[in-house]
Amino acid sequence: MKINTGSLPTGVREFSFVEDTGTVGLDDRFFGEIAVLAQVEKTSKMVLLKAILHAKANLTCDRCAEAFVSDIKKEYRTVYFFNEEDTGGYPKEEIVILPSDNTVIDITDDVRQFTQLTIPLKVLCQPECKGLCQECGTNLNKNTCSCTATYVDPRWEQLNKLLKQN
Ligand SMILES: [Zn+2]
Ligand SMILES: [Zn+2]
């Protein structure tokens, strides 16, 4: 996913890339193709890149253990400067200083990292996932069960024990 900034005239241009997720170096949770739409604005001082990523991943819910396909969309911005002195006004994490002999920007590494970061540490199939019954293991998103025991958070159980002791 390369943008030839050397030959790029000043002004706004759009680039689009479609590549296999494996080619970009994404892990095997991701499948099919990743699409990137990049809007690139070149001035005498910088190249401003706004990218929108679109990919799909096979994930497993951490609460109900159900497999599902996640439709991933992510936007990010990077500002490539030709000189370090010109970088005022942009957040540090968005700034890249280009070497003076640079003519091509390769966005593959950024695309891979931003895509991977969209997957949270705790994966949920839906924000309100009901999870599994603690007694019989029924997936409570799909079925109800006849278990009478209500689930007690282990932390509360500890507290209840303490209260009974006193
Ligand atoms: Zn779930
Ligand atoms: Zn149950």
Side-chain angles (χ1 to χ4, degrees), residues 133-138 140 145-147:
C133 169
Q134 299 290 317
E135 293 285 311
C136 70
T138 293
L140 299 172
C145 61
S146 53
C147 296

Side-chain angles (χ1 to χ4, degrees), residues 22 24 36 68 128:
V24 177
V36 181
F68 68 100
E128 61 282 0

Side-chain angles (χ1 to χ4, degrees), residues 8-166:
L8 196 69
T10 54
V12 181
R13 291 279 187 290
E14 278 195 354
F15 296 83
S16 60
F17 304 93
V18 177
E19 266 186 53
D20 193 83
T21 50
T23 312
V24 177
L26 286 161
D27 65 63
D28 55 16
R29 289 174 300 178
F30 298 89
F31 65 93
E33 288 169 332
I34 176 165
V36 181
L37 183 67
Q39 194 195 71
V40 179
E41 183 181 357
K42 187 183 179 183
T43 71
S44 57
K45 290 178 177 174
M46 64 178 187
V47 175
L48 176 71
L49 173 111
K50 286 183 205 158
I52 302 171
L53 325 166
H54 203 168
K56 282 189 163 67
N58 280 315
L59 301 178
T60 305
C61 178
D62 284 330
R63 200 177 281 166
C64 71
E66 207 55 35
F68 68 100
V69 172
S70 174
D71 208 3
I72 293 162
K73 255 198 178 155
K74 168 78 185 166
E75 267 187 76
Y76 80 88
R77 184 173 79 167
T78 303
V79 200
Y80 301 87
F81 285 96
F82 302 117
N83 281 301
E84 199 155 359
E85 300 84 64
D86 297 326
T87 60
Y90 285 95
K92 248 190 201 142
E93 63 274 14
E94 293 183 1
I95 295 174
V96 173
I97 311 293
L98 293 172
S100 55
D101 59 349
N102 173 273
T103 52
V104 173
I105 292 173
D106 188 349
I107 63 169
T108 311
D109 286 350
D110 283 350
V111 165
R112 181 180 57 249
Q113 279 169 28
F114 278 108
T115 306
Q116 236 137 14
L117 283 173
T118 58
I119 298 186
L121 283 176
K122 190 176 173 69
V123 174
L124 291 180
C125 63
Q126 48 182 318
E128 61 282 0
C129 171
K130 296 190 187 94
L132 305 175
C133 169
Q134 299 290 317
E135 293 285 311
C136 70
T138 293
N139 184 337
L140 299 172
N141 298 314
K142 294 177 173 174
N143 289 301
T144 50
C145 61
S146 53
C147 296
T148 48
T150 47
Y151 170 60
V152 180
D153 188 305
R155 287 166 299 181
W156 288 113
E157 208 162 40
Q158 285 297 324
L159 189 66
N160 283 337
K161 270 185 200 158
L162 284 171
L163 289 171
K164 273 173 200 162
Q165 277 167 12
N166 292 330

